[in-house]
Amino acid sequence: MKLLEERIQTDGRVLGTEVLKVDNFLNHQVDPALMQAMGNEFARLFATEKIDKVLTVESSGIAPAVFAALALNVPMVFARKKQSLTLSGDHYVADVYSFTKQETNHILVDKRFIQPGERLLLIDDFLANGQAVAGMLQIASDAGATVVGAGIVIEKTFQKGRALLDEQGVRVESLARITAFENGQVVFADESPVVN
Amino acid sequence: MKLLEERIQTDGRVLGTEVLKVDNFLNHQVDPALMQAMGNEFARLFATEKIDKVLTVESSGIAPAVFAALALNVPMVFARKKQSLTLSGDHYVADVYSFTKQETNHILVDKRFIQPGERLLLIDDFLANGQAVAGMLQIASDAGATVVGAGIVIEKTFQKGRALLDEQGVRVESLARITAFENGQVVFADESPVVN
């Protein structure tokens, strides 16, 4: 998605060889018009799928996910993150390990909000090691729901998340695909011929 | 806002005399069309104010805030919640006490994202004891920014938050004002004659 790649070039900050900070338009300060454009793009990419619900994880997934859900005319559910957990039986739960923070969190979804047989579109801001998406896949599986695919804002192709999802046969659509950071600059994967 | 009051009547769950659960359309499962309508309504209510930025707190404030920001054509910033804190000097920080959870959290905003003199609209999902809005007011004050008002999705008039904000001269616009829970039912304040 050209608009997003340009924004990453202009406003993203590369830290070292693995980290891209986009906190001035995506995950702390948020550009609502860009979120809307991204939501519309996710809806377009998955237009041939019947989708019942959009699932994401708080907090950075919420803005792109709510616009995707609006465009698809379906509800959005955001999984809650918790460090500690009192299991009640009312929630689907998955563990999500953060390589950045080197800690395990739990993500939870109330069982009322995913029904067996529902078709889910997963949305997340980053695909790096794939732990958050893997957690959502587990929750969907536990609920007996079907995942039609994962819509990712920024994918880092050089980390293992994409391979992990490919192995599981999950369709992944990323709005920006980054193959490397070189000398503080972002290198994007060859663009698809889609006009944005 | 009639649409919201009707939704609370239909889908809200009253627990005891103080708690309203709206996790099936606002703060866990989210109705994107309702969020958009609420965002538009906030923009309409504050249309005469010059607004530079919308400020909210993760996670439940994000969806209504991003639609308000879209309608106002300004960026949205969401404060991050943290239980523990390593102060770096890069962030504005305020304490927020949760009466429900009986614990103190910190909310943080990167200093790059609020500039002195900026005019902020605060958005939050609930106004009960007013702690989250008070935290945002402190951050705005520390940043030298001006708060034009607070847009609240659901206000519980019988808790002390509204009085606290009135004392500070903060304009509050709430889309639904609840005066009591009686026999498991929601009692709304007299409606304003505004047609929604």
Side-chain angles (χ1 to χ4, degrees), chain B residues 33-95:
Chain B
L34 179 64
M35 297 302 117
Q36 185 179 43
M38 296 187 331
N40 290 343
E41 179 66 1
F42 285 131
R44 191 189 66 80
L45 289 165
F46 289 95
T48 60
E49 297 283 355
K50 186 188 167 309
I51 292 169
D52 295 305
K53 217 162 262 185
V54 171
L55 177 64
T56 189
V57 176
E58 67 178 353
S59 289
S60 307
I62 293 175
V66 77
F67 281 108
L70 182 73
L72 290 162
N73 196 28
V74 299
M76 181 271 278
V77 174
F78 62 90
R80 292 273 185 189
K81 269 184 211 160
K82 288 215 194 294
Q83 282 191 292
S84 58
L85 202 57
T86 317
L87 284 177
S88 69
D90 297 334
H91 293 83
Y92 298 112
V93 182
D95 291 346

Short mmCIF file of all heavy atoms in Angstrom, two decimals, chain B residues 33-95:
data_model
loop_
_atom_site.label_atom_id
_atom_site.label_comp_id
_atom_site.label_asym_id
_atom_site.label_seq_id
_atom_site.Cartn_x
_atom_site.Cartn_y
_atom_site.Cartn_z
N ALA B 33 -20.12 0.77 13.49
CA ALA B 33 -21.04 1.79 13.00
C ALA B 33 -21.49 2.70 14.15
O ALA B 33 -21.62 3.92 13.99
CB ALA B 33 -22.25 1.15 12.32
N LEU B 34 -21.69 2.11 15.32
CA LEU B 34 -22.04 2.92 16.49
C LEU B 34 -20.87 3.82 16.89
O LEU B 34 -21.06 5.00 17.24
CB LEU B 34 -22.44 2.01 17.66
CG LEU B 34 -22.81 2.72 18.97
CD1 LEU B 34 -24.05 3.59 18.81
CD2 LEU B 34 -23.02 1.70 20.10
N MET B 35 -19.64 3.28 16.83
CA MET B 35 -18.46 4.09 17.15
C MET B 35 -18.37 5.29 16.22
O MET B 35 -18.05 6.40 16.63
CB MET B 35 -17.16 3.26 17.01
CG MET B 35 -17.05 2.08 17.95
SD MET B 35 -17.14 2.51 19.70
CE MET B 35 -18.65 1.61 20.12
N GLN B 36 -18.63 5.06 14.93
CA GLN B 36 -18.58 6.14 13.95
C GLN B 36 -19.64 7.21 14.26
O GLN B 36 -19.35 8.41 14.23
CB GLN B 36 -18.81 5.59 12.54
CG GLN B 36 -18.65 6.63 11.46
CD GLN B 36 -18.85 6.05 10.06
OE1 GLN B 36 -19.76 5.27 9.83
NE2 GLN B 36 -17.98 6.41 9.15
N ALA B 37 -20.85 6.76 14.58
CA ALA B 37 -21.92 7.71 14.92
C ALA B 37 -21.54 8.52 16.16
O ALA B 37 -21.78 9.73 16.23
CB ALA B 37 -23.23 6.95 15.15
N MET B 38 -20.92 7.87 17.13
CA MET B 38 -20.51 8.57 18.35
C MET B 38 -19.39 9.56 18.05
O MET B 38 -19.39 10.69 18.55
CB MET B 38 -20.06 7.56 19.41
CG MET B 38 -21.20 6.65 19.87
SD MET B 38 -20.84 5.53 21.28
CE MET B 38 -19.10 5.26 21.12
N GLY B 39 -18.44 9.15 17.23
CA GLY B 39 -17.35 10.05 16.86
C GLY B 39 -17.87 11.29 16.16
O GLY B 39 -17.45 12.42 16.44
N ASN B 40 -18.83 11.09 15.25
CA ASN B 40 -19.44 12.22 14.55
C ASN B 40 -20.17 13.14 15.52
O ASN B 40 -20.15 14.37 15.38
CB ASN B 40 -20.42 11.71 13.48
CG ASN B 40 -19.71 11.05 12.31
OD1 ASN B 40 -18.50 11.22 12.13
ND2 ASN B 40 -20.44 10.28 11.52
N GLU B 41 -20.83 12.53 16.51
CA GLU B 41 -21.58 13.33 17.48
C GLU B 41 -20.63 14.16 18.35
O GLU B 41 -20.89 15.34 18.63
CB GLU B 41 -22.45 12.41 18.35
CG GLU B 41 -23.26 13.10 19.43
CD GLU B 41 -24.36 14.03 18.90
OE1 GLU B 41 -24.52 14.14 17.67
OE2 GLU B 41 -25.05 14.66 19.73
N PHE B 42 -19.51 13.58 18.76
CA PHE B 42 -18.51 14.37 19.52
C PHE B 42 -18.02 15.55 18.68
O PHE B 42 -17.87 16.67 19.18
CB PHE B 42 -17.32 13.48 19.93
CG PHE B 42 -17.60 12.55 21.08
CD1 PHE B 42 -17.28 11.20 21.00
CD2 PHE B 42 -18.17 13.02 22.26
CE1 PHE B 42 -17.52 10.34 22.06
CE2 PHE B 42 -18.42 12.16 23.33
CZ PHE B 42 -18.09 10.81 23.23
N ALA B 43 -17.75 15.28 17.41
CA ALA B 43 -17.27 16.36 16.53
C ALA B 43 -18.32 17.46 16.40
O ALA B 43 -17.99 18.65 16.41
CB ALA B 43 -16.91 15.79 15.16
N ARG B 44 -19.59 17.07 16.33
CA ARG B 44 -20.67 18.05 16.22
C ARG B 44 -20.77 18.88 17.51
O ARG B 44 -20.90 20.11 17.48
CB ARG B 44 -22.00 17.32 15.95
CG ARG B 44 -23.15 18.23 15.56
CD ARG B 44 -24.49 17.48 15.51
NE ARG B 44 -24.93 17.02 16.82
CZ ARG B 44 -25.53 17.78 17.73
NH1 ARG B 44 -25.78 19.05 17.47
NH2 ARG B 44 -25.90 17.28 18.90
N LEU B 45 -20.70 18.20 18.66
CA LEU B 45 -20.85 18.89 19.95
C LEU B 45 -19.74 19.92 20.18
O LEU B 45 -19.95 20.94 20.80
CB LEU B 45 -20.87 17.86 21.09
CG LEU B 45 -22.13 17.01 21.18
CD1 LEU B 45 -21.90 15.79 22.09
CD2 LEU B 45 -23.30 17.84 21.73
N PHE B 46 -18.54 19.60 19.68
CA PHE B 46 -17.41 20.51 19.91
C PHE B 46 -17.03 21.27 18.63
O PHE B 46 -15.90 21.74 18.48
CB PHE B 46 -16.21 19.72 20.45
CG PHE B 46 -16.40 19.23 21.87
CD1 PHE B 46 -16.88 17.96 22.13
CD2 PHE B 46 -16.11 20.07 22.95
CE1 PHE B 46 -17.06 17.52 23.44
CE2 PHE B 46 -16.30 19.65 24.25
CZ PHE B 46 -16.77 18.36 24.50
N ALA B 47 -17.99 21.41 17.71
CA ALA B 47 -17.71 21.98 16.39
C ALA B 47 -17.22 23.42 16.46
O ALA B 47 -16.48 23.89 15.60
CB ALA B 47 -18.94 21.89 15.49
N THR B 48 -17.65 24.16 17.50
CA THR B 48 -17.27 25.58 17.58
C THR B 48 -15.87 25.77 18.17
O THR B 48 -15.36 26.89 18.20
CB THR B 48 -18.28 26.38 18.43
OG1 THR B 48 -18.30 25.82 19.75
CG2 THR B 48 -19.67 26.31 17.81
N GLU B 49 -15.27 24.71 18.68
CA GLU B 49 -13.93 24.80 19.26
C GLU B 49 -12.87 24.52 18.20
O GLU B 49 -13.05 23.63 17.37
CB GLU B 49 -13.76 23.74 20.36
CG GLU B 49 -14.67 23.90 21.55
CD GLU B 49 -14.20 25.02 22.47
OE1 GLU B 49 -13.13 25.60 22.23
OE2 GLU B 49 -14.93 25.30 23.44
N LYS B 50 -11.79 25.22 18.27
CA LYS B 50 -10.64 24.85 17.47
C LYS B 50 -9.94 23.72 18.22
O LYS B 50 -9.59 23.86 19.39
CB LYS B 50 -9.70 26.05 17.31
CG LYS B 50 -8.53 25.79 16.37
CD LYS B 50 -7.53 26.91 16.37
CE LYS B 50 -6.23 26.47 15.66
NZ LYS B 50 -5.70 25.17 16.16
N ILE B 51 -9.79 22.57 17.59
CA ILE B 51 -9.20 21.40 18.24
C ILE B 51 -7.99 20.94 17.43
O ILE B 51 -8.07 20.77 16.22
CB ILE B 51 -10.24 20.27 18.37
CG1 ILE B 51 -11.33 20.69 19.38
CG2 ILE B 51 -9.58 18.96 18.82
CD1 ILE B 51 -12.54 19.79 19.39
N ASP B 52 -6.87 20.75 18.13
CA ASP B 52 -5.66 20.30 17.45
C ASP B 52 -5.47 18.79 17.53
O ASP B 52 -4.81 18.20 16.66
CB ASP B 52 -4.42 20.96 18.07
CG ASP B 52 -4.41 22.47 17.87
OD1 ASP B 52 -4.52 22.89 16.70
OD2 ASP B 52 -4.32 23.21 18.86
N LYS B 53 -6.01 18.18 18.59
CA LYS B 53 -5.73 16.77 18.80
C LYS B 53 -6.78 16.16 19.73
O LYS B 53 -7.31 16.86 20.60
CB LYS B 53 -4.34 16.65 19.46
CG LYS B 53 -3.52 15.48 19.01
CD LYS B 53 -2.05 15.68 19.37
CE LYS B 53 -1.23 16.22 18.19
NZ LYS B 53 0.22 16.31 18.49
N VAL B 54 -7.05 14.89 19.54
CA VAL B 54 -7.92 14.14 20.44
C VAL B 54 -7.04 13.26 21.32
O VAL B 54 -6.14 12.58 20.82
CB VAL B 54 -8.92 13.27 19.66
CG1 VAL B 54 -9.68 12.33 20.58
CG2 VAL B 54 -9.90 14.15 18.87
N LEU B 55 -7.27 13.31 22.63
CA LEU B 55 -6.49 12.51 23.58
C LEU B 55 -7.41 11.53 24.30
O LEU B 55 -8.48 11.91 24.77
CB LEU B 55 -5.79 13.42 24.59
CG LEU B 55 -4.98 12.74 25.71
CD1 LEU B 55 -3.80 11.95 25.15
CD2 LEU B 55 -4.48 13.78 26.73
N THR B 56 -7.00 10.26 24.37
CA THR B 56 -7.77 9.28 25.12
C THR B 56 -6.79 8.36 25.86
O THR B 56 -5.59 8.60 25.86
CB THR B 56 -8.71 8.47 24.19
OG1 THR B 56 -9.59 7.67 24.99
CG2 THR B 56 -7.93 7.55 23.24
N VAL B 57 -7.34 7.33 26.52
CA VAL B 57 -6.53 6.35 27.23
C VAL B 57 -6.85 4.97 26.65
O VAL B 57 -8.00 4.67 26.38
CB VAL B 57 -6.84 6.37 28.74
CG1 VAL B 57 -6.05 5.28 29.47
CG2 VAL B 57 -6.52 7.73 29.35
N GLU B 58 -5.78 4.14 26.43
CA GLU B 58 -6.04 2.79 25.95
C GLU B 58 -6.85 2.03 26.99
O GLU B 58 -6.74 2.34 28.17
CB GLU B 58 -4.72 2.06 25.65
CG GLU B 58 -3.88 1.78 26.88
CD GLU B 58 -2.58 1.01 26.56
OE1 GLU B 58 -2.36 0.57 25.44
OE2 GLU B 58 -1.78 0.88 27.49
N SER B 59 -7.60 0.98 26.63
CA SER B 59 -7.89 0.56 25.28
C SER B 59 -9.29 0.97 24.83
O SER B 59 -9.52 1.20 23.65
CB SER B 59 -7.84 -0.97 25.19
OG SER B 59 -6.54 -1.43 25.31
N SER B 60 -10.21 1.10 25.80
CA SER B 60 -11.62 1.28 25.42
C SER B 60 -11.91 2.64 24.83
O SER B 60 -12.92 2.81 24.14
CB SER B 60 -12.52 1.04 26.63
OG SER B 60 -12.22 -0.20 27.22
N GLY B 61 -11.04 3.62 25.07
CA GLY B 61 -11.27 4.94 24.50
C GLY B 61 -10.90 5.04 23.03
O GLY B 61 -11.33 5.96 22.33
N ILE B 62 -10.09 4.09 22.54
CA ILE B 62 -9.50 4.23 21.21
C ILE B 62 -10.54 4.28 20.09
O ILE B 62 -10.48 5.15 19.21
CB ILE B 62 -8.47 3.10 20.95
CG1 ILE B 62 -7.27 3.26 21.90
CG2 ILE B 62 -8.01 3.11 19.49
CD1 ILE B 62 -6.25 2.14 21.81
N ALA B 63 -11.50 3.37 20.11
CA ALA B 63 -12.47 3.31 19.00
C ALA B 63 -13.31 4.59 18.91
O ALA B 63 -13.35 5.21 17.83
CB ALA B 63 -13.33 2.06 19.10
N PRO B 64 -13.97 5.05 19.99
CA PRO B 64 -14.69 6.33 19.83
C PRO B 64 -13.76 7.50 19.52
O PRO B 64 -14.12 8.37 18.73
CB PRO B 64 -15.39 6.52 21.19
CG PRO B 64 -14.84 5.50 22.12
CD PRO B 64 -14.22 4.42 21.29
N ALA B 65 -12.55 7.50 20.09
CA ALA B 65 -11.64 8.64 19.89
C ALA B 65 -11.16 8.72 18.45
O ALA B 65 -11.03 9.81 17.89
CB ALA B 65 -10.45 8.54 20.84
N VAL B 66 -10.88 7.57 17.81
CA VAL B 66 -10.34 7.61 16.46
C VAL B 66 -11.40 8.11 15.47
O VAL B 66 -11.07 8.80 14.49
CB VAL B 66 -9.73 6.25 16.04
CG1 VAL B 66 -10.79 5.22 15.67
CG2 VAL B 66 -8.73 6.42 14.90
N PHE B 67 -12.68 7.81 15.74
CA PHE B 67 -13.73 8.32 14.86
C PHE B 67 -13.99 9.81 15.12
O PHE B 67 -14.29 10.55 14.18
CB PHE B 67 -15.02 7.50 15.03
CG PHE B 67 -14.98 6.20 14.28
CD1 PHE B 67 -14.86 4.99 14.95
CD2 PHE B 67 -15.05 6.18 12.89
CE1 PHE B 67 -14.82 3.79 14.27
CE2 PHE B 67 -15.01 4.98 12.19
CZ PHE B 67 -14.90 3.78 12.88
N ALA B 68 -13.87 10.26 16.37
CA ALA B 68 -13.98 11.70 16.65
C ALA B 68 -12.86 12.44 15.93
O ALA B 68 -13.08 13.48 15.30
CB ALA B 68 -13.93 11.96 18.16
N ALA B 69 -11.65 11.89 16.02
CA ALA B 69 -10.49 12.53 15.37
C ALA B 69 -10.65 12.56 13.86
O ALA B 69 -10.31 13.54 13.20
CB ALA B 69 -9.21 11.78 15.76
N LEU B 70 -11.20 11.48 13.29
CA LEU B 70 -11.45 11.45 11.85
C LEU B 70 -12.42 12.56 11.45
O LEU B 70 -12.18 13.29 10.49
CB LEU B 70 -12.01 10.08 11.43
CG LEU B 70 -12.26 9.91 9.94
CD1 LEU B 70 -10.95 9.76 9.17
CD2 LEU B 70 -13.15 8.68 9.66
N ALA B 71 -13.51 12.69 12.21
CA ALA B 71 -14.52 13.70 11.89
C ALA B 71 -13.96 15.11 12.07
O ALA B 71 -14.35 16.04 11.36
CB ALA B 71 -15.76 13.50 12.77
N LEU B 72 -13.05 15.28 13.03
CA LEU B 72 -12.45 16.60 13.28
C LEU B 72 -11.23 16.86 12.41
O LEU B 72 -10.68 17.96 12.41
CB LEU B 72 -12.04 16.71 14.76
CG LEU B 72 -13.19 16.78 15.77
CD1 LEU B 72 -12.70 16.45 17.17
CD2 LEU B 72 -13.85 18.17 15.74
N ASN B 73 -10.78 15.81 11.70
CA ASN B 73 -9.61 15.91 10.83
C ASN B 73 -8.34 16.30 11.60
O ASN B 73 -7.57 17.18 11.18
CB ASN B 73 -9.90 16.90 9.69
CG ASN B 73 -8.90 16.78 8.56
OD1 ASN B 73 -8.34 15.70 8.33
ND2 ASN B 73 -8.66 17.87 7.86
N VAL B 74 -8.13 15.66 12.74
CA VAL B 74 -6.93 15.89 13.56
C VAL B 74 -6.37 14.55 14.01
O VAL B 74 -7.06 13.53 13.95
CB VAL B 74 -7.25 16.75 14.81
CG1 VAL B 74 -7.78 18.13 14.42
CG2 VAL B 74 -8.23 16.03 15.75
N PRO B 75 -5.12 14.50 14.47
CA PRO B 75 -4.57 13.24 15.00
C PRO B 75 -5.22 12.85 16.34
O PRO B 75 -5.78 13.69 17.04
CB PRO B 75 -3.08 13.56 15.23
CG PRO B 75 -2.81 14.83 14.48
CD PRO B 75 -4.10 15.57 14.45
N MET B 76 -5.14 11.57 16.66
CA MET B 76 -5.58 11.07 17.96
C MET B 76 -4.34 10.52 18.67
O MET B 76 -3.48 9.92 18.01
CB MET B 76 -6.62 9.97 17.74
CG MET B 76 -7.20 9.36 19.01
SD MET B 76 -6.27 7.94 19.64
CE MET B 76 -6.92 6.61 18.62
N VAL B 77 -4.26 10.76 19.96
CA VAL B 77 -3.19 10.17 20.77
C VAL B 77 -3.81 9.34 21.87
O VAL B 77 -4.74 9.81 22.53
CB VAL B 77 -2.30 11.28 21.41
CG1 VAL B 77 -1.27 10.67 22.37
CG2 VAL B 77 -1.60 12.10 20.33
N PHE B 78 -3.37 8.09 22.01
CA PHE B 78 -3.85 7.35 23.19
C PHE B 78 -2.74 7.19 24.21
O PHE B 78 -1.62 6.77 23.88
CB PHE B 78 -4.53 6.02 22.84
CG PHE B 78 -3.69 4.97 22.16
CD1 PHE B 78 -2.96 4.04 22.91
CD2 PHE B 78 -3.67 4.87 20.78
CE1 PHE B 78 -2.22 3.04 22.28
CE2 PHE B 78 -2.92 3.87 20.14
CZ PHE B 78 -2.19 2.96 20.90
N ALA B 79 -3.05 7.58 25.46
CA ALA B 79 -2.11 7.40 26.57
C ALA B 79 -1.97 5.91 26.83
O ALA B 79 -2.94 5.15 26.73
CB ALA B 79 -2.62 8.11 27.81
N ARG B 80 -0.75 5.49 27.14
CA ARG B 80 -0.48 4.11 27.49
C ARG B 80 -0.66 3.92 28.99
O ARG B 80 -0.28 4.78 29.77
CB ARG B 80 0.97 3.77 27.12
CG ARG B 80 1.22 3.76 25.63
CD ARG B 80 0.90 2.41 25.07
NE ARG B 80 1.23 2.26 23.66
CZ ARG B 80 0.87 1.20 22.94
NH1 ARG B 80 0.17 0.22 23.49
NH2 ARG B 80 1.19 1.11 21.68
N LYS B 81 -1.25 2.80 29.38
CA LYS B 81 -1.37 2.45 30.80
C LYS B 81 -0.22 1.53 31.18
O LYS B 81 0.08 0.58 30.46
CB LYS B 81 -2.65 1.66 31.04
CG LYS B 81 -3.85 2.48 31.38
CD LYS B 81 -5.02 1.54 31.68
CE LYS B 81 -6.32 2.18 31.29
NZ LYS B 81 -7.41 1.21 31.11
N LYS B 82 0.38 1.79 32.31
CA LYS B 82 1.42 0.88 32.81
C LYS B 82 1.26 0.72 34.31
O LYS B 82 0.92 1.66 35.02
CB LYS B 82 2.82 1.45 32.52
CG LYS B 82 3.22 1.39 31.05
CD LYS B 82 4.71 1.13 30.91
CE LYS B 82 5.19 1.40 29.49
NZ LYS B 82 4.62 0.49 28.49
N GLN B 83 1.52 -0.49 34.78
CA GLN B 83 1.45 -0.72 36.23
C GLN B 83 2.75 -0.28 36.89
O GLN B 83 2.76 0.39 37.90
CB GLN B 83 1.19 -2.20 36.52
CG GLN B 83 -0.28 -2.57 36.32
CD GLN B 83 -0.59 -3.96 36.85
OE1 GLN B 83 -0.12 -4.95 36.32
NE2 GLN B 83 -1.37 -4.03 37.91
N SER B 84 3.87 -0.69 36.29
CA SER B 84 5.16 -0.26 36.83
C SER B 84 5.77 0.73 35.85
O SER B 84 5.35 0.83 34.70
CB SER B 84 6.08 -1.45 37.02
OG SER B 84 6.27 -2.11 35.80
N LEU B 85 6.76 1.43 36.30
CA LEU B 85 7.19 2.59 35.55
C LEU B 85 8.69 2.78 35.69
O LEU B 85 9.24 2.74 36.77
CB LEU B 85 6.47 3.81 36.17
CG LEU B 85 6.31 5.06 35.34
CD1 LEU B 85 5.58 4.76 34.05
CD2 LEU B 85 5.52 6.08 36.14
N THR B 86 9.36 2.93 34.54
CA THR B 86 10.74 3.37 34.57
C THR B 86 10.76 4.77 33.98
O THR B 86 10.55 4.94 32.77
CB THR B 86 11.64 2.45 33.71
OG1 THR B 86 11.26 1.09 33.96
CG2 THR B 86 13.10 2.64 34.05
N LEU B 87 10.90 5.76 34.82
CA LEU B 87 10.82 7.14 34.33
C LEU B 87 12.04 7.48 33.47
O LEU B 87 13.17 7.18 33.83
CB LEU B 87 10.73 8.11 35.51
CG LEU B 87 9.36 8.14 36.17
CD1 LEU B 87 9.38 9.07 37.37
CD2 LEU B 87 8.29 8.60 35.18
N SER B 88 11.76 8.08 32.32
CA SER B 88 12.85 8.39 31.41
C SER B 88 12.96 9.89 31.11
O SER B 88 13.94 10.34 30.57
CB SER B 88 12.63 7.65 30.09
OG SER B 88 11.52 8.23 29.43
N GLY B 89 11.92 10.64 31.49
CA GLY B 89 11.93 12.06 31.14
C GLY B 89 11.36 12.34 29.76
O GLY B 89 11.15 13.48 29.40
N ASP B 90 11.10 11.27 29.00
CA ASP B 90 10.55 11.44 27.66
C ASP B 90 9.03 11.51 27.65
O ASP B 90 8.42 11.76 26.62
CB ASP B 90 10.97 10.27 26.75
CG ASP B 90 12.48 10.22 26.58
OD1 ASP B 90 13.13 11.27 26.70
OD2 ASP B 90 13.00 9.12 26.32
N HIS B 91 8.41 11.21 28.80
CA HIS B 91 6.96 11.09 28.84
C HIS B 91 6.33 12.00 29.89
O HIS B 91 6.93 12.26 30.93
CB HIS B 91 6.56 9.64 29.17
CG HIS B 91 6.90 8.67 28.10
ND1 HIS B 91 8.16 8.11 27.98
CD2 HIS B 91 6.16 8.15 27.08
CE1 HIS B 91 8.16 7.29 26.93
NE2 HIS B 91 6.98 7.30 26.37
N TYR B 92 5.11 12.45 29.58
CA TYR B 92 4.26 13.01 30.63
C TYR B 92 3.58 11.83 31.31
O TYR B 92 3.12 10.90 30.64
CB TYR B 92 3.21 13.94 30.03
CG TYR B 92 3.82 15.14 29.33
CD1 TYR B 92 3.71 15.28 27.95
CD2 TYR B 92 4.49 16.12 30.05
CE1 TYR B 92 4.28 16.37 27.30
CE2 TYR B 92 5.06 17.21 29.39
CZ TYR B 92 4.95 17.33 28.03
OH TYR B 92 5.50 18.40 27.39
N VAL B 93 3.52 11.88 32.64
CA VAL B 93 2.97 10.75 33.39
C VAL B 93 1.95 11.25 34.41
O VAL B 93 2.12 12.31 35.00
CB VAL B 93 4.11 10.03 34.16
CG1 VAL B 93 3.56 8.82 34.92
CG2 VAL B 93 5.20 9.59 33.20
N ALA B 94 0.86 10.49 34.58
CA ALA B 94 -0.09 10.79 35.65
C ALA B 94 -0.52 9.49 36.30
O ALA B 94 -0.51 8.44 35.65
CB ALA B 94 -1.30 11.54 35.08
N ASP B 95 -0.87 9.56 37.55
CA ASP B 95 -1.40 8.39 38.25
C ASP B 95 -2.91 8.31 38.06
O ASP B 95 -3.59 9.33 38.09
CB ASP B 95 -1.11 8.48 39.75
CG ASP B 95 0.37 8.33 40.05
OD1 ASP B 95 1.11 7.90 39.15
OD2 ASP B 95 0.76 8.66 41.19
#
